[in-house]
Amino acid sequence: SMFTILGLVYPVLLLVFLNLVFRDIWADTHPLFRKGEKPAETNKIEWKMPPLLLVCFNSYRQTLRSFAGILLCMIIMIVGLFTAQLVLLPVEIFVRQAAANGEEITDEELVEQMEQVAIPILSKILGAISGEEIPETPEFLDFQPLNISYASRTSADLENPKSEQWAYYLLRENPGVLSLLFLLLVLIIPEVIIFSGFNQISGDSRNKGLRYLLMRAKRRDIFVGKFLGSMLITVIMLFILIVSVILYMHLKLGIYDLDRMIRWGIAGFGMFILLALPYIALSITFSGLIDSPVGSLGASLGVLVLFPIFAFFLKDAWTPLGFLQYLLPLNMGFFLFHYEWWRVLFAALTMVGYAAVYLYLGFLVSQFIQ
């Protein structure tokens, strides 16, 4: 179950936490690192870490030592595994019903039944995301699975060729259950990862610690270093989450080969790193603009949750206001999992571009506020 996986992952998290976060504390008590003593090899040239990296690693350690860091780790693990359990729930219900009726279903038949149900729904959802026209009949979620085998279908059989081919790519060419989980996490991850950045600068500004940092490092190094520290935390937690989810799904379901899930999991891990870039940059920007951690968190959540709704209604009221929806990379995260490589590349460059713009604007404005 989900709690079994948490029980397996918790010792790993504990070891990582103790070793990486508190290393600077226990290293000072080690005989080789005590004050006044040096390691045996003293003829090596000591490398002085740049201020940007110093800010990055210290920000990483201090965040994980704080309540916000612990909350981030727990939220990512709980939300990720709970979402995986929701994705697997329909499959488990179907298997139980088949067993109650005395039917024996193979893994191949189970996958075929899943595709028969999921592909029509997912193709319509992806068509709405990509802007492809959706047929009026059947209605959006009122569908009738075709009798023709999906393996023998051609482009002439497809109502929406692009969106349905996209659904085929996610559900047939890759582990379908894992693909569905990735699509759900595209919606959830942005709201979760801002917990790694909302307190980075606002906390130092509130307790007057920023003035001491500015005596030792440039404001640019502090701003970018805090961003890199938040990204480091996010990368580690996303890696642990993806590994836990693959392990959970493989042990719980076992209908896909483990090597296929690992390959798709590695690809998804890279895509989620790209997805995290603009949203962490946005939370760092609000952290630099607002000297209250609570205010910074509220502003970040408000923009991510309320702004898309606000932009949608403004677009309906007056079409030229539709440009507001491009202030956030709203649907671009889904295109990171597209079947066409050029769309994936465009989405990746878009994520990097949004992150660069957010950081630059936040840095410029914070100079006048701090």
Side-chain angles (χ1 to χ4, degrees):
S1 67
M2 177 180 68
F3 296 102
T4 303
I5 298 298
L6 282 175
L8 294 174
V9 173
Y10 180 78
V12 178
L13 282 176
L14 183 62
L15 291 175
V16 172
F17 184 82
L18 292 177
N19 186 46
L20 297 181
V21 179
F22 292 99
R23 185 176 180 180
D24 58 335
I25 295 178
W26 62 255
D28 290 338
T29 63
H30 194 278
L32 293 178
F33 296 95
R34 288 176 182 168
K35 294 182 179 180
E37 300 182 18
K38 293 184 179 180
E41 299 180 3
T42 58
N43 56 349
K44 291 185 178 180
I45 299 177
E46 295 184 358
W47 178 70
K48 188 176 181 180
M49 187 178 294
L52 187 146
L53 294 181
L54 280 173
V55 173
C56 169
F57 289 115
N58 281 284
S59 171
Y60 155 78
R61 291 192 181 99
Q62 294 300 327
T63 300
L64 285 183
R65 291 172 185 171
S66 66
F67 173 75
I70 297 174
L71 184 63
L72 170 69
C73 297
M74 294 304 298
I75 287 178
I76 288 181
M77 292 302 303
I78 295 293
V79 170
L81 289 176
F82 182 72
T83 306
Q85 198 168 29
L86 288 180
V87 172
L88 290 182
L89 185 60
V91 182
E92 294 179 358
I93 293 176
F94 178 78
V95 173
R96 290 174 183 174
Q97 289 179 347
N101 296 330
E103 300 176 0
E104 293 185 3
I105 183 170
T106 63
D107 292 345
E108 292 77 11
E109 293 173 344
L110 179 59
V111 172
E112 180 70 21
Q113 291 293 331
M114 289 168 46
E115 294 172 355
Q116 191 80 1
V117 174
I119 285 179
I121 297 177
L122 185 60
S123 64
K124 296 179 185 300
I125 296 175
L126 295 176
I129 292 173
S130 61
E132 187 178 352
E133 185 178 356
I134 302 175
E136 295 181 0
T137 56
E139 296 181 359
F140 188 65
L141 293 180
D142 184 16
F143 65 94
Q144 295 293 331
L146 301 178
N147 294 326
I148 185 173
S149 172
Y150 282 105
S152 61
R153 296 183 70 182
T154 63
S155 59
D157 302 315
L158 306 181
E159 295 178 349
N160 291 321
K162 292 183 179 180
S163 62
E164 198 155 353
Q165 189 174 353
W166 191 359
Y168 273 47
Y169 169 75
L170 293 174
L171 297 180
R172 299 203 62 191
E173 298 182 24
N174 296 289
V177 177
L178 194 58
S179 297
L180 292 176
L181 174 64
F182 285 168
L183 294 180
L184 288 177
L185 289 179
V186 168
L187 297 174
I188 298 173
I189 289 296
E191 287 77 14
V192 173
I193 59 177
I194 62 173
F195 282 91
S196 66
F198 78 94
N199 194 33
Q200 291 290 356
I201 299 178
S202 59
D204 290 334
S205 178
R206 189 175 183 84
N207 60 23
K208 309 302 180 182
L210 187 61
R211 64 180 66 180
Y212 298 103
L213 287 176
L214 289 172
M215 295 173 61
R216 296 167 175 81
K218 297 180 180 179
R219 185 182 295 270
R220 178 189 59 195
D221 293 335
I222 296 173
F223 207 81
V224 179
K226 295 283 188 179
F227 168 75
L228 294 178
S230 298
M231 276 302 305
L232 182 59
I233 298 171
T234 303
V235 167
I236 293 175
M237 291 309 304
L238 286 176
F239 176 78
I240 296 175
L241 173 63
I242 296 297
V243 172
S244 303
V245 163
I246 291 176
L247 178 64
Y248 173 62
M249 286 190 165
H250 180 70
L251 296 177
K252 191 78 171 179
L253 201 59
I255 61 176
Y256 301 108
D257 294 335
L258 184 59
D259 58 339
R260 283 187 65 197
M261 296 193 70
I262 292 176
R263 288 196 300 268
W264 190 226
I266 293 174
F269 172 64
M271 299 309 174
F272 283 122
I273 292 176
L274 292 170
L275 176 68
L277 287 174
Y279 297 103
I280 292 181
L282 186 64
S283 66
I284 293 290
T285 297
F286 279 115
S287 181
L289 299 179
I290 305 173
D291 63 355
S292 170
V294 176
S296 173
L297 178 61
S300 301
L301 285 175
V303 168
L304 292 182
V305 176
L306 299 179
F307 179 79
I309 302 175
F310 180 71
F312 176 78
F313 283 109
L314 284 181
K315 180 182 177 181
D316 284 350
W318 190 34
T319 304
L321 291 178
F323 78 94
L324 291 174
Q325 63 184 328
Y326 298 107
L327 296 180
L328 287 176
L330 297 176
N331 294 332
M332 197 56 62
F334 294 100
F335 289 93
L336 292 172
F337 298 94
H338 203 272
Y339 65 95
E340 294 178 324
W341 68 268
W342 66 270
R343 289 184 182 270
V344 177
L345 179 61
F346 178 77
L349 294 177
T350 301
M351 292 297 177
V352 175
Y354 270 98
V357 170
Y358 291 156
L359 283 178
Y360 182 71
L361 292 178
F363 170 72
L364 289 180
V365 178
S366 67
Q367 294 184 85
F368 300 98
I369 296 178
Q370 299 290 349

